[in-house]
Amino acid sequence: MAAVKQTIETVAALEKYEHGFTSQIDQEFAPKGLSEDIVRFISAKKGEPQWMLDWRLDAYRRWLELEEPTWAKVSHPPIDYQDTYYYAAPKEKTGPKSLDEVDPEILAVYAKLGIPLKEQAVLAGVEGAPRYAVDAVFDSVSVVTTFKKELAAVGVIFCSMSEAIREHPELVRQYLGSVVPTSDNYFACLNSAVFSDGSFVYIPPGVRCPMELSTYFRINAKDSGQFERTLIIADKGAYCSYLEGCTAPMRDENQLHAAVVELVLLDDAEIKYSTVQNWYPGDPETGKGGIYNFVTKRADCRGDRSKVSWTQVETGSAITWKYPSCVLRGEGSSGEFYSIAVTNGHQQADTGTKMIHLGANTRSRIVAKGISAGKSSSTYRGLVSAHPKAKGARNFTQCDSLLIGKTCAAHTVPYIEARNGHSVFEHEATTTRLSDDQLFYCQQRGLSQEEAVALLVNGFVKDVLQQLPMEFAVEAQKLVAISLEGSVG
Amino acid sequence: MTLATALKTGDLTQLPSRRDEDWRWTDLRGLIRQVPPASPAFDDDVAAGPFDGLAADEILFVNGRQRHAAASGAGEVVALRFVSATEGTAHAAAYAIVVEPDTTLVLLESHEGQAGGYFSDVTLDIAVGEGARVERIVLVDDDAEAIDVVTAEVDLAPGATFNQTVLTAGARRQRIETRVNHPGAHANVRLDGVYALAAQRHADQTTIVTHGGVDGVTSQLTKGVVDDQARGVFQGRIVVQPGADQTDARMGHHALILSDKAEVDAKPELLIFADDVACAHGNTIGALDDEQIFYARQRGIPEAEARAMLTQAFLGEVVERIEHEGARAVATAWVAARLGRAE
């Protein structure tokens, strides 16, 4: 109950979008627009080797031939890809440096966001408190990565993608684009051409990563797009838990965020990937502004008995288009997807997952909770498929939608493709509204309407919240409550 | 973008393809290389239909042509037959039915393949008046090489009841689509389906129910069994439009896959634009339960028979929901025959 109480207090205390500030930081931009020259510019700026540039140019040429997908249940004015900055970086920072060298203005931004960038600041807490290694990405570059030394001691590589391309080219060349191929889809292809930074993680065989790893993405510059690329490789028997958070300033223009996340799992490896997505959702009254969040996330369970778990809390973004997927190739591998998608105001979310069963005895579980309020719409779109060789595959899917108010919409669009006689697929979905009886009961007990909504909604999403790492769960609970503020009555 | 248009114009680009979202599992453009010649008139006698003896009136189409004038003031039980009688030819037929307010109609519809490899396209318009009651039973017995598309557009008035059961054994490629415009207003819809597919047959049952007003009920149950290299497709969509509050819609699809080369594809969709609704769908796909088979064998029932028994019981749940007694008996026997069990 303490957490619930805290939620209620937070709801009362907070503004609608607390991360909407902008910071005046000297920044360097690539010229607006997209062309081969821009791709070369980004690559040169990062001092990349020729093979990386060739890879980008190949992606750019393929992108020119692709068409923007239109099947998602979202609508937005056509995106002008020439009206965006594809590279924006704080001046004179070519890559992550030690904390002392980071622009104090940037540190101030992260302090305001409550992200611990100082290692000692984290350590100063109670003994045994969980610690987080953070890779902070500011617009197009990674500004700092913490705890690198301590992680290196156990063989874990945790650094920015630019650094990985310089320091560990053999790993990057082997795995980059092997899960999400360059021309996988329109936005992944665009990302492959212009990606600027992101995190790179390698966990060596048998190592259990000693602390939570996390990335914090911040869009700051106006009219810029963020295209980060994350690659996590868990070698045989390795384990890591990875957290991702993101925010952006409040602006009237739409900004594009097209990321690609690739996870590679070898035999017996396990990755737990959690996201709390809180990009600026646009003005709740007019729907103006906000981030277009078009993300491709995929895990490739190559090894036998490997396990991947995606947990996401999606509360922000004007438009979300995101389907974290699991390719269950290894025998006995398993995939999980836990999702809470909250939409309010004029937000549109089309999100879900793909569970592709290729190996024998593979298992997957999907729990998706959608909450729509205001004039928003939220769609669960998911694919579960079993290949003829995936004998003994099992899937359980549960999608529940909660509607708050007369003008919102909730859709469920599952695709199930079963291609062998030894699999079991179960799917159930419900759509209901917040029960008047329950609201009345809570209000009768002295809770205000908004407190009652927060309480009931937290109960509705509890199954998913429980999957989040502790600190994230508390934050996520607050976010869910804040996003729904003012949605009843 | 329909088979009928392609048959009329000979333009293959008019065929729906895998790239059309609603046809992704029923690709006609990739399959059809050329449009066959139009079916000739067929004046010989045709064999009796599956519902022979149950209906007072019969409306008969052979090769897309209506044989006798529609019975006016048709009785309560009407047989509607679409017979394809000439091999390797194509035909399209359209028919409209108006059910007057406060009347009752049992429509015993059959699609009968009495030749091989034909193309058939049937479009039906059914308007159900206020307070009227319709039960539509559709039995589709196509040739293994046939391509068959049946589309029904059903318009309901307030207080109407529309119950439907589709039974099919598939074809080379087959689509049975039902679109219901549901006014809410105490109208009641039941849409059921059964498919029992073997060899290389394909069957697609697609339903779209659009709830446009308050207080509507829809209940759907589709069950299927696929064997050999057959492919069953179920696409169910329930749309609740803004303002269609108090809608109660439930959809279930359950399938058994009996062979490792068979396939079932399902897409149960809910598109909800109103908040005061109770909508749910469930979907399961799997194999027969080994424990149940073990239990039966333990009791002395040979494995093959145990499998047939369990499969028949599985499909039986849908067949039992047919209200018209005679039609239910025909359907039960038909299912038994498909599963290789004599009734």
PDB file of all heavy atoms in Angstrom, chain A residues 401-414:
ATOM      1  N   SER A 401      -7.663  -4.629 -22.422  1.00  0.00           N
ATOM      2  CA  SER A 401      -7.735  -3.192 -22.679  1.00  0.00           C
ATOM      3  C   SER A 401      -8.721  -2.566 -21.719  1.00  0.00           C
ATOM      4  O   SER A 401      -9.766  -3.143 -21.433  1.00  0.00           O
ATOM      5  CB  SER A 401      -8.201  -2.913 -24.109  1.00  0.00           C
ATOM      6  OG  SER A 401      -7.420  -3.631 -25.010  1.00  0.00           O
ATOM      7  N   LEU A 402      -8.354  -1.392 -21.280  1.00  0.00           N
ATOM      8  CA  LEU A 402      -9.210  -0.651 -20.370  1.00  0.00           C
ATOM      9  C   LEU A 402      -9.510   0.689 -21.022  1.00  0.00           C
ATOM     10  O   LEU A 402      -8.601   1.367 -21.487  1.00  0.00           O
ATOM     11  CB  LEU A 402      -8.466  -0.444 -19.049  1.00  0.00           C
ATOM     12  CG  LEU A 402      -9.236   0.104 -17.871  1.00  0.00           C
ATOM     13  CD1 LEU A 402     -10.289  -0.901 -17.420  1.00  0.00           C
ATOM     14  CD2 LEU A 402      -8.288   0.394 -16.727  1.00  0.00           C
ATOM     15  N   LEU A 403     -10.782   1.030 -21.086  1.00  0.00           N
ATOM     16  CA  LEU A 403     -11.161   2.291 -21.716  1.00  0.00           C
ATOM     17  C   LEU A 403     -11.653   3.250 -20.648  1.00  0.00           C
ATOM     18  O   LEU A 403     -12.420   2.866 -19.766  1.00  0.00           O
ATOM     19  CB  LEU A 403     -12.279   2.048 -22.724  1.00  0.00           C
ATOM     20  CG  LEU A 403     -11.900   1.200 -23.944  1.00  0.00           C
ATOM     21  CD1 LEU A 403     -13.044   0.301 -24.340  1.00  0.00           C
ATOM     22  CD2 LEU A 403     -11.518   2.094 -25.095  1.00  0.00           C
ATOM     23  N   ILE A 404     -11.183   4.483 -20.733  1.00  0.00           N
ATOM     24  CA  ILE A 404     -11.633   5.504 -19.789  1.00  0.00           C
ATOM     25  C   ILE A 404     -12.161   6.676 -20.609  1.00  0.00           C
ATOM     26  O   ILE A 404     -11.383   7.385 -21.219  1.00  0.00           O
ATOM     27  CB  ILE A 404     -10.472   5.953 -18.870  1.00  0.00           C
ATOM     28  CG1 ILE A 404      -9.852   4.751 -18.160  1.00  0.00           C
ATOM     29  CG2 ILE A 404     -10.958   6.989 -17.862  1.00  0.00           C
ATOM     30  CD1 ILE A 404      -8.633   5.067 -17.327  1.00  0.00           C
ATOM     31  N   GLY A 405     -13.464   6.830 -20.658  1.00  0.00           N
ATOM     32  CA  GLY A 405     -14.046   7.937 -21.401  1.00  0.00           C
ATOM     33  C   GLY A 405     -14.633   7.507 -22.724  1.00  0.00           C
ATOM     34  O   GLY A 405     -14.329   6.432 -23.240  1.00  0.00           O
ATOM     35  N   LYS A 406     -15.476   8.387 -23.281  1.00  0.00           N
ATOM     36  CA  LYS A 406     -16.270   8.051 -24.462  1.00  0.00           C
ATOM     37  C   LYS A 406     -15.524   8.237 -25.775  1.00  0.00           C
ATOM     38  O   LYS A 406     -15.966   7.789 -26.821  1.00  0.00           O
ATOM     39  CB  LYS A 406     -17.523   8.949 -24.507  1.00  0.00           C
ATOM     40  CG  LYS A 406     -18.521   8.640 -23.416  1.00  0.00           C
ATOM     41  CD  LYS A 406     -19.679   7.838 -23.967  1.00  0.00           C
ATOM     42  CE  LYS A 406     -20.535   7.272 -22.868  1.00  0.00           C
ATOM     43  NZ  LYS A 406     -20.225   5.883 -22.549  1.00  0.00           N
ATOM     44  N   THR A 407     -14.414   8.978 -25.746  1.00  0.00           N
ATOM     45  CA  THR A 407     -13.827   9.360 -27.028  1.00  0.00           C
ATOM     46  C   THR A 407     -12.541   8.621 -27.350  1.00  0.00           C
ATOM     47  O   THR A 407     -11.869   8.931 -28.305  1.00  0.00           O
ATOM     48  CB  THR A 407     -13.541  10.874 -27.037  1.00  0.00           C
ATOM     49  OG1 THR A 407     -12.845  11.189 -25.824  1.00  0.00           O
ATOM     50  CG2 THR A 407     -14.808  11.682 -27.112  1.00  0.00           C
ATOM     51  N   CYS A 408     -12.196   7.630 -26.537  1.00  0.00           N
ATOM     52  CA  CYS A 408     -10.956   6.914 -26.820  1.00  0.00           C
ATOM     53  C   CYS A 408     -11.270   5.598 -27.534  1.00  0.00           C
ATOM     54  O   CYS A 408     -12.418   5.221 -27.675  1.00  0.00           O
ATOM     55  CB  CYS A 408     -10.204   6.645 -25.529  1.00  0.00           C
ATOM     56  SG  CYS A 408     -11.168   5.738 -24.329  1.00  0.00           S
ATOM     57  N   ALA A 409     -10.210   4.929 -27.980  1.00  0.00           N
ATOM     58  CA  ALA A 409     -10.408   3.682 -28.710  1.00  0.00           C
ATOM     59  C   ALA A 409      -9.360   2.663 -28.282  1.00  0.00           C
ATOM     60  O   ALA A 409      -8.241   3.030 -27.930  1.00  0.00           O
ATOM     61  CB  ALA A 409     -10.302   3.936 -30.214  1.00  0.00           C
ATOM     62  N   ALA A 410      -9.746   1.406 -28.297  1.00  0.00           N
ATOM     63  CA  ALA A 410      -8.802   0.341 -27.964  1.00  0.00           C
ATOM     64  C   ALA A 410      -9.004  -0.810 -28.935  1.00  0.00           C
ATOM     65  O   ALA A 410     -10.132  -1.235 -29.157  1.00  0.00           O
ATOM     66  CB  ALA A 410      -9.035  -0.148 -26.539  1.00  0.00           C
ATOM     67  N   HIS A 411      -7.931  -1.245 -29.538  1.00  0.00           N
ATOM     68  CA  HIS A 411      -8.036  -2.303 -30.536  1.00  0.00           C
ATOM     69  C   HIS A 411      -7.119  -3.460 -30.201  1.00  0.00           C
ATOM     70  O   HIS A 411      -6.063  -3.276 -29.612  1.00  0.00           O
ATOM     71  CB  HIS A 411      -7.672  -1.758 -31.922  1.00  0.00           C
ATOM     72  CG  HIS A 411      -8.351  -0.474 -32.259  1.00  0.00           C
ATOM     73  ND1 HIS A 411      -9.702  -0.313 -32.094  1.00  0.00           N
ATOM     74  CD2 HIS A 411      -7.891   0.709 -32.716  1.00  0.00           C
ATOM     75  CE1 HIS A 411     -10.031   0.920 -32.452  1.00  0.00           C
ATOM     76  NE2 HIS A 411      -8.943   1.564 -32.829  1.00  0.00           N
ATOM     77  N   THR A 412      -7.522  -4.625 -30.615  1.00  0.00           N
ATOM     78  CA  THR A 412      -6.693  -5.815 -30.431  1.00  0.00           C
ATOM     79  C   THR A 412      -6.594  -6.521 -31.773  1.00  0.00           C
ATOM     80  O   THR A 412      -7.613  -6.891 -32.347  1.00  0.00           O
ATOM     81  CB  THR A 412      -7.344  -6.776 -29.411  1.00  0.00           C
ATOM     82  OG1 THR A 412      -7.795  -6.002 -28.300  1.00  0.00           O
ATOM     83  CG2 THR A 412      -6.377  -7.815 -28.942  1.00  0.00           C
ATOM     84  N   VAL A 413      -5.397  -6.663 -32.283  1.00  0.00           N
ATOM     85  CA  VAL A 413      -5.226  -7.294 -33.586  1.00  0.00           C
ATOM     86  C   VAL A 413      -4.146  -8.373 -33.499  1.00  0.00           C
ATOM     87  O   VAL A 413      -2.993  -8.146 -33.838  1.00  0.00           O
ATOM     88  CB  VAL A 413      -4.820  -6.252 -34.664  1.00  0.00           C
ATOM     89  CG1 VAL A 413      -4.869  -6.871 -36.053  1.00  0.00           C
ATOM     90  CG2 VAL A 413      -5.710  -5.033 -34.599  1.00  0.00           C
ATOM     91  N   PRO A 414      -4.508  -9.537 -33.010  1.00  0.00           N
ATOM     92  CA  PRO A 414      -3.501 -10.593 -32.924  1.00  0.00           C
ATOM     93  C   PRO A 414      -3.466 -11.445 -34.194  1.00  0.00           C
ATOM     94  O   PRO A 414      -4.500 -11.664 -34.823  1.00  0.00           O
ATOM     95  CB  PRO A 414      -3.997 -11.426 -31.734  1.00  0.00           C
ATOM     96  CG  PRO A 414      -5.468 -11.234 -31.731  1.00  0.00           C
ATOM     97  CD  PRO A 414      -5.785  -9.931 -32.416  1.00  0.00           C
TER      98      PRO A 414
END
